[in-house]
Amino acid sequence: IHTCAASRQSSTPHLCAMDDFTKTSFPRPQTATRAAPAPSVVVATLASEKVDQKAQHHAAASDDDASSRSRASRLANGVNNVLGAKFYALGRLSARYPWRMIAASWMFAVLLSAGLGARGLKNENRSEKLWVPSNTQAQGDKTYVDTYYGSETRFAQVVLKSTTAGENILTPAGLDALNTVITAVRAASITWEGSTYSYTDHCYRTGSNCWESNVLTAFASAAAWDTQSEIDTALTASPITNQDGSTLYLEKVAGGLTYNSASAPTGAVALSATFLFTNNEELVSGDMVDKKGDAFDTELLKIFAEPPTGFEASYVTDRSFGDEFGGAINADLLKLQIALFLILAYAAATLSKWNLGCVGSRVGVTFAGIVSIGMAIASAYGLCAYLGLFFSPLMNVLPFLLLGIGVDDMFVIVNAYDNEVSRDPVERMGQSLRSSGMSITVTSLTDVVAFLIGSSTSLPALRNFCFYAALGIFFDYVYQVTFFTAFLTLDERRKANNKGDCFFCLDCPPQACCRCCSPGKSEKSILQRGMGRLGSGLRHRVVKYSVLVFFTVITIMGIIGCVKMEVDADVNNFIPDGSYLKGWFADSDTYFTESGDSVELYSKATLDLAADDAKLRAASAAFKANDYIVENTVRSWVDDFYTYRTALGGVTSANYVSTLNTWLANAGARYLNDVVFDDETSPTSITTTRIHGNHVKAIKSKASVTAMDSLRADIAAVSGNENGVIFAYGRSWLDYEQYKTIDAEAIRNISVTLAACLAIITILIVDPKTVFAVFLALSMIFVNIVGFMHFWGLSIDSVTVIMLVIALGLAVDYSAHIGRAYLEKRGTPDERIVRTLEDMGVAVWNGAMSTFMAVMILGSSSSYVFMTFFKQLFLCITLGLAHGLIFLPVLLSLLKPAPYAEAR
């Protein structure tokens, strides 16, 4: 022993090779006998002296290098020493009192989770509350409109075509078939709460009539379309007049129209019938629910699904979107469960030491890690409930995010523990947490701050998701360094006593379970050797510069993709293949190409229409003249009433309201729901009014935003409307507001988040060269993810912007762990590459692969959400690993940052 100690003091550690081999190659004696206590004392003394000599050696090296270190490098060492000492103490505390640490962690988690029962999570599923910025004009306009008109209607539509593709159905047979479907709808009824609820009870009325839109409203009866000539005569009139005196816009009810040389319609490929029904919604658990309406929709779907012989139908009802989108999600829940199981199986398989037989199994350790992640999720949900932050469907992806980050932390901690040579379990945990704790602090704190900054977004769903994610990651970090490390200590005690994994009462022999798992000549695992070979291959100068060129080219391609990336949200994306809704979307886009989303023009009570309605008539004219409004779809009560009162004569401000009320009860009955008086029985003033119209059909989200902005500008420019007493608003504008802001929100959030990542990495790593390298790699990863999203057919929408935030959270881990590990290694720059990859590269690879296996399962999903999840995480993992394990080590070897003073 004295000879070995002397040789260390004389800097000839080769004399202790046999001692090193003895300590690292043979298992620790499981029992000590009373007859021979001396060997254990000698071993303990030797271990103590080796630790002291190593400390002296590192301290001497630190003193020798102090003069050559930069101020930033000395600062980095200072930060590392201070924080490292804290983690060292925490590791020793966790190993010394594991049961107390576990109990304290559990009590803390239960206290936070109690928030779920104390106040409960407020559920929120309404899209306008999730994806529309609360400070937008559309939100304020919606509040006004809902106050006076509410959510009045439900919607149903059927599109009828011949089974012979392209055949004209604007014929007697075609109109008969359409009439058959409409008659069946009018005869539909359901039994609700013991009573019969019929079509006439459920329909939305304009005056005394149920509102319907179809080509048959231009005919007095079925006898009026007996012959083709009768049909041609009625539909070539200009204008085409409905039976209630209103104008029929043929392009709105007949699709695929053909015309003769005189521009008269000669045929149509498709005919539509649209129905409006009363809305009986009520707020239930954060979602607007109309159970009666849904039940009636079920009857409508049965009718639409069985069109007359010789015809086929595509159709939609109000409940269709929720049914089909939810069905796609539910169908893939099994795949999600399989994906989560694969993560657990991979973690258990790679964390275990199979060369030690059943003793080396770490299924229990893996389970403890998963429990700690579950505790983090419960704690985050509970604290958010205390804070009153609503829960949305978006939070369902949070467990997947925390599982990916938590499993990565597990690998880092266990990898550091396995690489620590100290025999004393308390000292071993202290030393391993000194290293791994600092590493996961960099990644976890970066993620937490990034998500907290992301919570400044104006999109409510994204804001709350960022709060939930930040708290979830923070609590996962807390429980990993406390609960998980304590359980890892208990598991090591089990191994020391040769007890079975998960079954502590069973004895297990400390031998390999099979020949393939027997220890080989090398103490390194297959993956460590593979990472070592990768590092050795990266040492050649030609390879290094080739790597830089290759990743530069990849980044240039990513930048090109970023420039071409579009903001576009197509609801059709959310509908699974094979759904009947796909057919309706296809027919709507193919045959009905002119008339788009509905939009209305509203006047407020502060506009004195009785004294002067010229302002509203001017606004109506501007409404019709707007480039993004289909003029023939505009239904203006003020214009029709102006024609009526002009012909009537004698209408003044004194009798304006009473005359209007009389007109609405008779000739103007179709506008009865569009004018709101102060009193329904004896009105004296007008509270609010509306004028109906439709946008020109837009294919891209950008065109929809342009249409909204254009109409707002035209109405605001109407003389006398400077104070906004007349405004335009459509239900679809809530979505338009999202389209308008989501690209700016994405850019702002990503930019600020990257800046936060830079700040945290700088504070915790400090070394400027390493900070630069890690941040450059992180930025390149993110640019490439966005760029290659474009090449893979994705655009920026409410789903992809969430996944981008998640991808950023995962990408930090791939680079930050490697950057810090490089600072903990001594040797030449090329030697440090090899040692870094053999050490931290293994943990990073395992953490990424566990997530990657789950992602591959999601690749077979039919759900747009899960497919998007798959594509973005696939890019995140592949690009993150490539940059973290290849590009970053090469860049660090060229920049040559100085190692920490305590580096080994």
Side-chain angles (χ1 to χ4, degrees):
I1 295 174
H2 291 297
T3 302
C4 180
S7 69
R8 291 191 182 277
Q9 291 177 344
S10 61
S11 301
T12 54
H14 62 278
L15 295 178
C16 291
M18 182 58 69
D19 175 62
D20 291 336
F21 175 77
T22 302
K23 290 192 66 177
T24 58
S25 300
F26 293 97
R28 179 183 179 182
Q30 303 303 318
T31 58
T33 63
R34 293 177 180 271
S40 61
V41 175
V42 172
V43 169
T45 305
L46 178 58
S48 176
E49 291 195 11
K50 286 188 68 176
V51 170
D52 292 342
Q53 297 303 327
K54 286 183 179 181
Q56 294 173 11
H57 179 73
H58 292 155
S62 178
D63 293 339
D64 293 339
D65 294 341
S67 58
S68 61
R69 289 183 179 273
S70 65
R71 180 178 301 175
S73 181
R74 292 195 295 272
L75 178 61
N77 276 294
V79 172
N80 183 69
N81 290 337
V82 171
L83 296 180
K86 301 298 182 183
F87 281 107
Y88 173 78
L90 178 61
R92 290 180 60 88
L93 181 66
S94 181
R96 184 170 291 160
Y97 307 108
W99 288 113
R100 296 183 187 180
M101 186 67 75
I102 291 174
S105 300
W106 262 106
M107 291 177 62
F108 184 63
V110 169
L111 180 63
L112 292 173
S113 303
L116 298 173
R119 291 181 55 182
L121 288 175
K122 177 186 176 184
N123 239 2
E124 184 60 78
N125 295 316
R126 292 169 291 177
S127 60
E128 69 271 14
K129 296 294 184 181
L130 296 176
W131 297 111
V132 181
S134 55
N135 58 347
T136 59
Q137 183 176 339
Q139 282 282 29
D141 292 342
K142 179 184 183 301
T143 301
Y144 179 88
V145 171
D146 285 351
T147 301
Y148 296 104
Y149 294 99
S151 299
E152 293 180 300
T153 61
R154 294 174 66 93
F155 162 81
Q157 185 181 75
V158 59
V159 176
L160 206 64
K161 299 184 299 181
S162 171
T163 52
T164 302
E167 183 176 281
N168 174 34
I169 65 169
L170 203 56
T171 62
L175 297 189
D176 283 339
L178 183 65
N179 187 49
T180 299
V181 175
I182 293 173
T183 301
V185 170
R186 291 171 180 169
S189 65
I190 61 171
T191 300
W192 187 258
E193 296 180 348
S195 302
T196 299
Y197 187 64
S198 67
Y199 171 80
T200 54
D201 297 324
H202 188 42
C203 72
Y204 175 78
R205 295 180 180 275
T206 53
S208 59
N209 299 320
C210 291
W211 190 96
E212 296 176 3
S213 177
N214 57 76
V215 70
L216 301 185
T217 58
F219 301 90
S221 65
W225 67 72
D226 278 344
T227 65
Q228 189 65 47
S229 60
E230 288 178 314
I231 296 174
D232 293 341
T233 300
L235 300 183
T236 54
S238 183
I240 303 172
T241 306
N242 290 316
Q243 294 304 301
D244 63 358
S246 62
T247 300
L248 174 68
Y249 180 47
L250 186 60
E251 287 80 357
K252 197 172 181 180
V253 295
L257 285 164
T258 56
Y259 300 88
N260 60 21
S261 57
S263 299
T266 58
V269 177
L271 296 175
S272 71
T274 306
F275 307 88
L276 294 182
F277 301 96
T278 54
N279 196 331
N280 303 296
E281 286 181 334
E282 56 182 354
L283 186 62
V284 178
S285 299
D287 202 3
M288 300 302 295
V289 177
D290 182 1
K291 294 182 179 180
K292 186 190 295 185
D294 287 345
F296 202 92
D297 279 359
T298 301
E299 292 301 310
L300 296 179
L301 291 172
K302 293 177 182 178
I303 295 171
F304 295 158
E306 298 180 0
T309 303
F311 295 87
E312 60 184 33
S314 60
Y315 44 90
V316 64
T317 68
D318 230 57
R319 71 172 299 164
S320 297
F321 298 99
D323 287 349
E324 295 301 293
F325 175 57
I329 293 293
N330 292 332
D332 287 328
L333 287 180
L334 177 60
K335 294 178 181 177
L336 184 60
Q337 292 169 2
I338 294 174
L340 297 179
F341 174 78
L342 286 178
I343 291 178
L344 304 184
Y346 182 88
T350 52
L351 289 176
S352 298
K353 296 292 186 181
W354 298 112
N355 61 325
L356 298 179
C358 62
V359 174
S361 172
R362 277 176 170 164
V363 175
V365 170
T366 304
F367 180 75
I370 301 306
V371 169
S372 69
I373 296 171
M375 292 164 58
I377 295 172
S379 298
Y381 285 9
L383 183 56
C384 287
Y386 281 127
L387 298 175
L389 299 174
F390 67 73
F391 182 89
S392 75
L394 184 60
M395 310 311 175
N396 291 328
V397 302
L398 187 59
F400 201 97
L401 169 65
L402 294 182
L403 195 61
I405 293 176
V407 169
D408 179 74
D409 291 345
M410 286 167 50
F411 279 117
V412 172
I413 292 173
V414 174
N415 184 70
Y417 189 85
D418 288 342
N419 289 336
E420 181 57 47
V421 297
S422 175
R423 286 177 176 269
D424 178 57
V426 174
E427 177 65 19
R428 187 178 182 186
M429 182 57 72
Q431 291 293 349
S432 62
L433 196 59
R434 181 186 186 96
S435 172
S436 61
M438 286 295 296
S439 188
I440 66 174
T441 297
V442 173
T443 56
S444 298
L445 190 57
T446 301
D447 288 340
V448 168
V449 173
F451 278 110
L452 285 178
I453 291 178
S455 66
S456 63
T457 177
S458 62
L459 299 177
L462 182 56
R463 178 175 61 244
N464 277 22
F465 176 81
C466 287
F467 275 122
Y468 275 78
L471 291 174
I473 294 171
F474 171 74
F475 289 127
D476 173 69
Y477 165 72
V478 171
Y479 296 137
Q480 289 287 341
V481 298
T482 54
F483 178 87
F484 179 71
T485 56
F487 198 93
L488 181 59
T489 299
L490 293 177
D491 188 72
E492 287 301 305
R493 292 182 182 179
R494 171 195 64 80
K495 289 169 62 178
N497 293 323
N498 290 332
K499 295 296 183 180
D501 186 24
C502 299
F503 300 98
F504 303 137
C505 59
L506 300 180
D507 293 328
C508 288
Q511 287 90 26
C513 56
C514 59
R515 181 174 297 180
C516 61
C517 295
S518 299
K521 295 181 179 179
S522 174
E523 297 177 6
K524 297 178 181 178
S525 66
I526 296 176
L527 186 54
Q528 281 181 308
R529 295 197 297 272
M531 286 292 168
R533 293 191 187 100
L534 173 62
S536 298
L538 296 176
R539 294 188 301 176
H540 305 291
R541 184 168 296 274
V542 173
V543 174
K544 290 182 180 181
Y545 287 110
S546 298
V547 166
L548 296 181
V549 171
F550 174 78
F551 280 92
T552 299
V553 172
I554 292 295
T555 303
I556 292 174
M557 293 176 62
I559 293 173
I560 294 173
C562 289
V563 173
K564 294 183 177 181
M565 176 63 74
E566 295 182 349
V567 176
D568 190 35
D570 187 352
V571 69
N572 194 18
N573 290 337
F574 292 87
I575 308 304
D577 293 335
S579 167
Y580 66 86
L581 276 182
K582 284 287 188 182
W584 179 78
F585 274 111
D587 288 344
S588 178
D589 292 340
T590 302
Y591 302 117
F592 300 91
T593 58
E594 295 190 23
S595 179
D597 294 328
S598 62
V599 61
E600 289 77 39
L601 190 66
Y602 294 89
S603 67
K604 297 181 179 180
T606 49
L607 178 63
D608 189 356
L609 292 173
D612 182 12
D613 64 5
K615 293 178 184 178
L616 185 56
R617 286 186 284 113
S620 177
F623 188 51
K624 295 177 182 178
N626 184 267
D627 292 338
Y628 300 95
I629 295 295
V630 181
E631 183 177 356
N632 291 337
T633 65
V634 175
R635 294 182 288 119
S636 173
W637 74 268
V638 71
D639 291 335
D640 286 359
F641 180 63
Y642 179 75
T643 301
Y644 168 78
R645 69 182 177 86
T646 300
L648 180 65
V651 178
T652 65
S653 59
N655 63 3
Y656 185 96
V657 173
S658 60
T659 304
L660 174 61
N661 189 38
T662 302
W663 178 71
L664 291 173
N666 297 281
R670 63 182 177 275
Y671 298 116
L672 185 61
N673 296 330
D674 297 329
V675 179
V676 178
F677 294 105
D678 62 335
D679 186 277
E680 293 183 3
T681 306
S682 302
T684 58
S685 63
I686 300 171
T687 302
T688 185
T689 71
R690 68 182 174 190
I691 297 170
H692 297 273
N694 287 84
H695 279 300
V696 174
K697 192 158 190 174
I699 303 300
K700 295 290 186 180
S701 300
K702 186 176 181 181
S704 298
V705 174
T706 302
M708 176 180 67
D709 290 343
S710 172
L711 185 55
R712 277 178 174 167
D714 286 356
I715 300 304
V718 172
S719 177
N721 192 33
E722 291 79 11
N723 56 356
V725 292
I726 304 171
F727 66 93
Y729 168 76
R731 297 285 177 183
S732 57
W733 282 20
L734 293 169
D735 295 326
Y736 296 0
E737 292 281 18
Q738 178 196 149
Y739 307 155
K740 184 177 181 179
T741 60
I742 198 166
D743 56 340
E745 286 286 336
I747 293 173
R748 186 188 70 84
N749 288 343
I750 291 169
S751 300
V752 174
T753 301
L754 284 173
C757 291
L758 174 60
I760 298 302
I761 291 170
T762 301
I763 292 172
L764 295 179
I765 294 181
V766 182
D767 182 83
K769 293 180 180 179
T770 307
V771 169
F772 168 77
V774 170
F775 183 72
L776 178 62
L778 180 60
S779 301
M780 291 170 65
I781 292 170
F782 205 74
V783 167
N784 290 331
I785 290 174
V786 176
F788 284 92
M789 278 171 52
H790 166 76
F791 295 125
W792 209 341
L794 297 177
S795 57
I796 296 296
D797 60 24
S798 57
V799 175
T800 55
V801 72
I802 292 297
M803 298 305 176
L804 280 177
V805 176
I806 293 175
L808 182 59
L810 294 175
V812 170
D813 293 359
Y814 302 135
S815 297
H817 284 319
I818 296 296
R820 176 168 174 80
Y822 192 85
L823 294 176
E824 295 177 337
K825 301 294 183 289
R826 288 188 177 275
T828 66
D830 292 341
E831 290 172 346
R832 293 169 73 185
I833 288 181
V834 176
R835 296 183 62 200
T836 296
L837 292 179
E838 286 181 340
D839 181 8
M840 188 57 69
V842 171
V844 169
W845 174 270
N846 283 330
M849 283 301 102
S850 62
T851 307
F852 186 78
M853 293 178 65
V855 168
M856 294 304 293
I857 296 295
L858 299 180
S860 61
S861 171
S862 61
S863 162
Y864 172 73
V865 172
F866 283 142
M867 273 303 299
T868 302
F869 202 7
F870 160 72
K871 291 179 179 180
Q872 290 185 275
L873 287 184
F874 180 89
L875 290 172
C876 174
I877 293 170
T878 54
L879 293 171
L881 280 180
H883 285 77
L885 299 181
I886 300 175
F887 172 77
L888 185 56
V890 167
L891 184 59
L892 288 170
S893 70
L894 295 174
L895 294 177
K896 302 177 182 178
Y900 288 136
E902 63 177 25
R904 291 183 287 183

